[in-house]
Amino acid sequence: MTTNDIPLPFILKVAIPAVPFFKLFEYLAPEDCPSENLQAGIRLEVPFGKRSKIAFLIAISTESEYPIEKLKPITRIIDDAPLLGCCDLKLLHWVANYYHHPIGEVMSTAFPVALRQGKDTIIKKLPKISDNKTKTSPLICNDAQQQAIDAISATLGEFNVFVLDGVTGSGKTEVYMQLIQTVLNRGQQILVLVPEITLTPQLQQRFEQRFSTHIAISHSKITDLQRKNAWLLMQSGVCSLLLGTRSALFTPLPNIGLIILDEEHDSSFKQQEGFRFSARDVAVMRGKLASVPVVLGSATPSLESLYNVKLQRYQHLQLPERAGNALPPLVQILDIRQQKLQEGLSAKLVEEIAVTLAKNEQVLLFLNRRGFAPTLICDGCGWVARCVHCDANLVIHRHKNLLRCHHCGTEHQLVSICPACQSNDLTSLGLGTERLESVLTHLFPDKVVLRLDRDSTQKKGALDDFLAQIHAGDAHIILGTQLLAKGHHFPSVTLVAILDVDSGLFSTDFHSGEKLAQLIVQVSGRAGREQKQGKVLLQTRQPDHSLLVELLRDGYTKFAVLALAEREMAGLPPFSYQALLRAHAENEDMPIMFLQTVVELAQSLNVQNVQILGAIPAPMARRAGQYRFQLLFQHTNRTALHTLLKQLVPQISTLKLAAKVRWSIDVDPVDLY
Ligand code: ADP
Ligand code: ZN
Ligand code: ZN
């Protein structure tokens, strides 16, 4: 027998979920296993240490980095057919590379828990299709809508990114729905992503009223079983329409035809812990790999997307006017300098609220701070209620009679006597939504005040109940946090006010101007969405601030041009690329020593012109008992930055000090905290 006759062993390269290892693990195929049973994308059971684990077959090779005799055979093959297609595998590879994240952890994000545990792939339940008794017909589009639909439809089957830049209420959803119908008619699948779970019910309802097809829903608040079911419905091709949040992004769609991301500017599309991917950017890559168009919709597109428009990488489609007969809201600055405020409300605002309520119209007040007040201070000795674990004050929660840390969750009973000097002169400083609620109830005793924030909507179904109450006209004044800013449709709201614009004007994060402008436009967009014109009041002590003046005078599009010019001058993203290495530990010295070692390591790798800033304390240097430090890598060239990270990150994981801290790498960070 010649050596040529000895069959070469199959080496199976696998990813093991939740194992933080940058390379693939290698195993041997079972002897005499036919190669057609070993397709990339199937699940396997493999021995791992003393236990066994479920693994995903990523590639098959006849070569190994290790001596063959060291490799162990797998225990069993789980699936007859691959769960992932070739595009899905390519995408997961790409994200693991781009975010410098262990492939096994990427797999954990892509798969529902039950499948990661090796459970069966039987579809348990089909979503119901609502009766054809009740379907809405497509609306007759205006010219701008029609142009957008035509431009996108013309490129089905090709990769293209469209920024659907439409003012609030301009009928973007109608554009999505007509495109979805076209793609359904072609027998293809559609992925629709929204930034917030709270936005899925209203879109689901509009879709159900329009389409005669199963709609799969996927987000982090459904059960593991529901998520698995939605995943399999799409993966098997039984369902054609998937609506979800960023966790739905990796669901396999063998027959994908279109990707839509609504509210693309929203930073919730960026995962802020663990595997820190941007669902927007990955969706674009997914569209590219699958050769399908990607629609990024927003009334306030991100500066990144507008920059891509400028570079002609993305196509700009504008819907400059509200659809139907709705008028744009009147936005006014309310100068509150030298005014006595009643719990954050100026006399003029109280008067406007009264006038609106007298017309039986609804009022919406925006304040981005939960709780009663952010600070409890002693007038006698100056003692302030601080969190012992964080660099932060404890927030007063009157309803629950608690002092609570919003960063680590620590709670104490609310005190009425100063623990330092025993005086009973304790004062609540500042304004939170609970306090605003109580003053409004006092000022308008015969009106229903509804507070919508994370505290009041914690109970399952609470938010839906609130939204139903608003729609039914049973609530008169709605106040809340950023939960309110997102794409909700409140037809009877005609007065909107932002109580504390100034807190957004003086942040150190370079994203803050963009975020404030988006917030103002988005919150304003909740006013007067149907027949009655809306009014928006911005309370500020900075009435001449250029951001406010320019935004109100010229609108968001021009604001964005100026903001981009500022970023360019400062060499900030999107004119440069960043990655943030965070480290924290209980011991203050460890993260500093660790990051300093990383700096030395990075310098030794000799990648030119990468700026390394730090190690510096995180903006909140102590949180939940952990000392937090960070290192920022920045380069004008994305490839150069990634060349460095590609070498650096796997080496960091082998550093002795890496075991003494918790660390993570955040590519394209949106929040420098
Ligand atoms: P957006 O998603 O841009 O905020 P929507 O799609 O929710 O806007 O549309 C806002 C309102 O305008 C909805 O009530 C919708 O039914 C209506 N609308 C949309 N397009 C048209 C149209 N072409 N003619 C009349 N009304 C429309
Ligand atoms: Zn005191
Ligand atoms: Zn704390």
Side-chain angles (χ1 to χ4, degrees), residues 139-142 145 166-174 206 323-324 489 529-530:
L139 299 174
I140 297 174
C141 285
N142 59 38
Q145 284 174 312
V167 298
T168 49
S170 60
K172 293 184 289 297
T173 312
E174 183 61 33
R206 284 176 83 172
H489 191 59
R529 287 172 64 97
E530 286 185 358

Side-chain angles (χ1 to χ4, degrees), residues 643-659:
T643 306
L644 171 71
L645 295 175
K646 183 132 190 72
Q647 298 174 62
L648 185 64
V649 177
Q651 291 193 37
I652 294 176
S653 64
T654 65
L655 290 175
K656 274 211 186 87
L657 276 165

Side-chain angles (χ1 to χ4, degrees), residues 387 389-390 405 407-410 624:
C387 177
H389 309 291
C390 305
C405 175
H407 302 281
C408 71
T410 296

Side-chain angles (χ1 to χ4, degrees), residues 378-383 418-423 426:
C378 170
D379 285 340
C381 73
W383 171 87
C418 171
C421 74
Q422 272 67 51
S423 130
L426 293 180

Side-chain angles (χ1 to χ4, degrees), residues 334-336 341-346 348-350 353 363-369 431-433 435-437 439-440 477-480 495-504 516 519-520 523 536-541:
L334 200 60
D335 182 356
I336 52 167
L341 301 184
Q342 187 175 7
E343 308 288 26
L345 299 169
S346 59
K348 168 84 176 142
L349 178 54
V350 173
I353 295 173
V363 175
L364 191 151
L365 301 176
F366 180 85
L367 177 71
N368 208 11
R369 204 179 299 114
L431 181 68
T433 46
R435 189 172 204 162
L436 185 59
E437 181 186 25
V439 69
L440 287 165
I477 305 176
I478 306 141
L479 70 101
L495 176 68
V496 167
I498 301 182
L499 297 198
D500 184 14
V501 171
D502 298 348
S503 62
L516 178 62
L519 177 79
I520 291 174
V523 176
V536 181
L537 300 172
L538 309 178
Q539 286 199 147
T540 177
R541 291 191 178 85

Side-chain angles (χ1 to χ4, degrees), residues 53-215:
K53 278 195 186 273
I54 305 301
F56 294 93
L57 181 56
I58 303 290
I60 300 144
S61 165
T62 50
E63 281 165 26
S64 172
E65 281 183 43
Y66 309 97
I68 299 271
E69 57 279 11
K70 291 243 160 123
L71 300 183
K72 290 186 187 151
I74 63 160
T75 315
R76 69 180 174 114
I77 294 173
I78 299 175
D79 300 305
D80 305 332
L83 296 183
L84 298 178
C86 147
C87 266
D88 302 316
L89 283 165
K90 272 195 202 147
L91 183 71
L92 294 172
H93 256 298
W94 180 85
V95 290
N97 257 312
Y98 183 79
Y99 291 101
H100 304 276
H101 202 73
I103 180 82
E105 292 192 354
V106 172
M107 286 291 178
S108 297
T109 306
F111 279 86
V113 180
L115 294 179
R116 266 185 264 151
Q117 293 168 339
K119 300 250 167 71
D120 66 68
T121 54
I122 301 162
I123 295 172
K124 298 280 187 317
K125 206 171 140 210
L126 270 182
K128 60 176 190 302
I129 302 184
S130 59
D131 218 303
N132 263 328
K133 74 176 189 285
T134 59
K135 297 289 173 214
T136 58
S137 325
L139 299 174
I140 297 174
C141 285
N142 59 38
D143 288 350
Q145 284 174 312
Q146 196 58 51
Q147 276 168 23
I149 292 168
D150 292 345
I152 300 163
S153 309
T155 72
L156 292 175
E158 293 166 33
F159 169 61
N160 261 299
V161 185
F162 297 91
V163 176
L164 184 63
D165 178 357
V167 298
T168 49
S170 60
K172 293 184 289 297
T173 312
E174 183 61 33
V175 170
Y176 302 151
M177 291 200 289
Q178 299 208 11
L179 289 166
I180 290 169
Q181 189 61 61
T182 306
V183 178
L184 287 174
N185 295 346
R186 287 164 60 105
Q188 289 182 304
Q189 295 176 305
I190 303 106
L191 170 64
V192 181
L193 296 179
V194 291
E196 272 282 332
I197 292 170
T198 59
L199 292 176
T200 48
Q202 66 174 32
L203 212 50
Q204 179 181 359
Q205 196 188 14
R206 284 176 83 172
F207 286 180
E208 280 170 353
Q209 284 166 355
R210 179 70 65 90
F211 305 120
S212 310
T213 190
H214 297 297
I215 302 167

